[in-house]
């Protein structure tokens, strides 16, 4: 049976990116990645929507980057994560 969903979970995307799902959720919530939408449900719970098309486009673009850009991207993700952690620790 094939999967006909049009979205991925944060856990699925995080596995493909090699990062923690909560870190990816923080990046989506703070709009630091070009895919995914975060919103708060009436219950107060955060919900994340990651369209397959947007995530696959992001992954395809990463695949076209030269090696030095991977290092820059990794540094960007680390800095973005550090900013998220700093913001959360101040609360």
């Amino acid at each position: 049976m094939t999967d006909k969903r049009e979205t991925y979970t944060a856990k699925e995307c995080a596995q493909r990116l090699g990062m923690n799902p909560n870190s990816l959720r923080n990046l989506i919530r703070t709009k630091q990645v070009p895919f995914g939408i975060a919103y708060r449900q009436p219950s107060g719970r955060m919900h994340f929507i990651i369209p397959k098309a947007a995530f696959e486009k992001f992954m395809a673009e990463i695949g076209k980057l030269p090696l030095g850009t991977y290092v820059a991207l990794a540094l960007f993700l680390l800095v973005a994560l550090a900013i998220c952690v700093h913001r959360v620790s101040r609360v």
Side-chain angles (χ1 to χ4, degrees):
M1 185 172 153
T2 59
D3 187 0
K4 297 193 184 241
R5 295 179 304 146
E6 295 182 12
T7 61
Y8 286 126
T9 65
K11 184 177 179 180
E12 291 169 328
C13 293
Q15 285 175 340
R16 288 186 56 193
L17 290 167
M19 63 188 307
N20 183 293
N22 288 328
S23 298
L24 180 58
R25 288 182 189 103
N26 283 332
L27 292 173
I28 292 170
R29 185 178 51 78
T30 57
K31 300 178 182 170
Q32 296 183 45
V33 289
F35 58 85
I37 301 161
Y39 68 92
R40 191 169 301 278
Q41 296 177 331
S43 66
R45 183 173 179 244
M46 288 299 293
H47 188 73
F48 299 87
I49 298 172
I50 305 171
K52 281 186 176 182
F55 183 74
E56 293 302 336
K57 180 180 176 186
F58 176 77
M59 293 301 285
E61 291 299 318
I62 286 177
K64 295 177 187 174
L65 299 174
L67 183 58
T69 309
Y70 286 108
V71 174
L73 180 62
L75 288 173
F76 166 78
L77 290 173
L78 285 173
V79 169
L81 178 59
I83 291 168
C84 289
V85 169
H86 178 71
R87 287 180 183 165
V88 169
S89 66
R90 290 182 12 197
V91 175

